[in-house]
Amino acid sequence: TMEDTYLLKHPGVKKKILVGGTGPLPHFPPGTKLVFNFQTLLDNFERTVVDDSRLAGRPAEIFVGKMFKLEVWETLLTSMRVGEVAEFWCDAVVSLYPIVSKGMRLIAQGKDPLEGQRHMCGMGNLFHYHSTGFPELDELMRTPQPLIFIMELLQVGDPMSYHRESWMMEKDEKLSTVPLLHMRGNALVKQRQFQEAASEYKEAVLLLKTVQSREMPGDADYMNLARLIVPLELNYCQCMLELHEYYEVIEHASELLDKHKDCVKGYYKRAKAHAAVWNEKEARRDFNMVAHLDPTLASLVHRELRALSERMKEKFRGLMLRFGLVSVLGLDLGD
């Protein structure tokens, strides 16, 4: 049976030491690198294995005080001695586990942890995160439940090692935070909380740009990150359209289109913003670009251009009436 040793500050955690470690309990100042193997099991009769870091071929590592995702792991590991193997039962404090696990699995496969979100960008069809692509993780998302972690603490680095390697680790952490922000943004959009959603998207873009700033422009990682930024920027622009922040949309869409000249949705959102602020020439140019890049949108563009003409006529008619010119000039403002 599991001993009821409750860990400090975590009433929902029980610990059982399976193999004693060596030496005194290490000192864990912020920035200390922890290298460990872990197994994640379901708390069921079969103790089904969900993840096993040994299968990834390399141990996991985190840095104390730098954990965005599963703070509970830091608590578990800093209760251990080097070489110790312990089993921890954790109450459903680990609701983010499926997201973290997905990120780690993709990283272990040498893939981008944000893989598969690219083609689902922007307009209207905001992301659906009901699937992680791993059925057992989807099940955990649907029914948060206690998990068992078997941890083996392999190595405790000195805090200085953190400075040499931190940014690599931070890169993974930042990247695995992006889908969380994206998900939160999408949930807020569904509730029509556009201001709150926009700030989630913006934070995700900033994280990606921070990671990107460490890469060499033009190399594969740099290009991948650039692509990942696009759907987030488009979602941000959509929120700004909903909030009538048209100049913000024009500015962001223009910056996006400088780098991605064939981004149909970028032109569409910028066209909508231009139309809203009476920039007829620019709106027409952008709408026409949408039809040029994606002929299937020609009828949508046609409708938008008709609506734009109507609005411009209305505006003109309004001005004329204001200055009392219509009757004098006998202008025909019909179709």
Side-chain angles (χ1 to χ4, degrees), residues 276-293:
V277 294
W278 310 103
N279 296 341
E280 186 181 13
K281 190 167 97 268
E282 293 84 348
R284 279 186 185 285
R285 196 183 53 214
D286 282 347
F287 278 132
N288 285 323
M289 197 65 182
V290 169
H292 169 68
L293 289 169

Side-chain angles (χ1 to χ4, degrees), residues 278 280 306-322 326 333-335:
W278 310 103
E280 186 181 13
R306 258 207 328 264
L308 178 61
S309 292
E310 280 309 310
R311 287 194 65 225
M312 294 313 291
K313 274 189 199 128
E314 279 302 310
K315 183 182 185 187
F316 189 54
R317 192 182 280 128
L319 282 173
M320 291 297 168
L321 287 169
R322 245 179 58 213
V326 178
L333 295 177
D335 286 324

Side-chain angles (χ1 to χ4, degrees), residues 71 95 133 190 205 211 222 256 266 297:
E71 284 93 346
S95 57
K190 286 203 179 79
V205 168
V211 175
Y222 188 91
L256 185 66
L297 296 175

Side-chain angles (χ1 to χ4, degrees), residues 36-38 51-60 104-110:
F36 60 102
N37 273 318
F38 70 94
D51 281 307
D52 185 339
S53 64
R54 284 179 189 78
L55 300 178
R58 60 176 182 142
M104 289 188 304
R105 289 174 184 206
L106 292 173
I107 290 166
Q109 294 167 16

Side-chain angles (χ1 to χ4, degrees), residues 18-57:
L18 305 179
V19 177
T22 52
L25 187 68
H27 182 44
F28 297 103
T32 304
K33 179 179 176 179
L34 307 180
V35 182
F36 60 102
N37 273 318
F38 70 94
Q39 264 192 326
T40 306
L41 316 176
L42 297 182
D43 185 18
N44 58 9
F45 182 70
E46 297 83 12
R47 289 167 61 97
T48 312
V49 177
V50 179
D51 281 307
D52 185 339
S53 64
R54 284 179 189 78
L55 300 178

Side-chain angles (χ1 to χ4, degrees), residues 81-305:
R81 292 176 161 74
V82 175
E84 180 180 314
V85 180
E87 181 176 305
F88 298 91
W89 179 90
C90 294
D91 201 355
V93 288
V94 283
S95 57
L96 290 184
Y97 185 77
I99 307 267
V100 174
S101 169
K102 175 192 178 181
M104 289 188 304
R105 289 174 184 206
L106 292 173
I107 290 166
Q109 294 167 16
K111 289 193 185 132
D112 189 321
L114 303 176
E115 196 56 65
Q117 296 169 12
R118 238 161 247 162
H119 56 280
M120 298 170 69
C121 76
M123 218 155 52
N125 68 336
L126 286 146
F127 287 140
H128 311 296
Y129 271 94
H130 42 246
S131 175
T132 57
F134 300 101
E136 65 281 20
L137 297 181
D138 290 348
E139 186 49 43
L140 279 180
M141 278 194 127
R142 277 194 293 277
T143 50
Q145 55 194 281
L147 291 175
I148 294 164
F149 298 112
I150 298 176
M151 299 285 200
E152 177 187 15
L153 184 58
L154 299 171
Q155 198 187 320
V156 176
D158 65 296
M160 291 325 290
S161 70
Y162 169 72
H163 295 294
R164 288 196 295 279
E165 296 159 80
S166 73
W167 77 267
M168 270 312 295
M169 178 59 203
E170 279 180 345
K171 177 177 171 177
D172 288 352
E173 278 185 9
K174 285 192 177 91
L175 289 177
S176 61
T177 308
V178 168
L180 292 181
L181 292 165
H182 207 149
M183 235 164 49
R184 286 212 295 263
N186 296 344
L188 288 161
V189 164
K190 286 203 179 79
Q191 296 159 21
R192 303 193 64 75
Q193 294 181 314
F194 298 112
Q195 195 66 60
E196 294 79 359
S199 67
E200 300 289 337
Y201 295 138
K202 195 163 197 172
E203 191 180 336
V205 168
L206 289 174
L207 280 176
L208 288 172
K209 285 187 170 168
T210 314
V211 175
Q212 194 187 37
S213 67
R214 313 268 184 146
E215 306 290 344
M216 285 299 292
D219 76 5
D221 277 358
Y222 188 91
M223 305 309 280
N224 280 338
L225 289 160
R227 275 205 301 276
L228 294 173
I229 288 169
V230 173
L232 289 157
E233 279 280 23
L234 288 169
N235 288 2
Y236 175 78
C237 285
Q238 188 57 41
C239 290
M240 290 295 117
L241 278 176
E242 299 281 359
L243 294 164
H244 310 304
E245 298 284 354
Y246 302 117
Y247 291 103
E248 181 78 2
V249 176
I250 292 168
E251 186 187 332
H252 275 261
S254 299
E255 190 191 326
L256 185 66
L257 290 164
D258 280 345
K259 299 189 192 77
H260 305 270
K261 306 242 179 292
D262 55 355
C263 181
V264 179
K265 289 172 182 169
Y267 286 108
Y268 185 73
K269 290 185 196 308
R270 191 171 71 178
K272 296 287 277 183
H274 276 310
V277 294
W278 310 103
N279 296 341
E280 186 181 13
K281 190 167 97 268
E282 293 84 348
R284 279 186 185 285
R285 196 183 53 214
D286 282 347
F287 278 132
N288 285 323
M289 197 65 182
V290 169
H292 169 68
L293 289 169
D294 186 347
T296 65
L297 296 175
S299 63
L300 167 72
V301 165
H302 188 62
R303 278 201 307 278
E304 291 282 8
L305 288 172

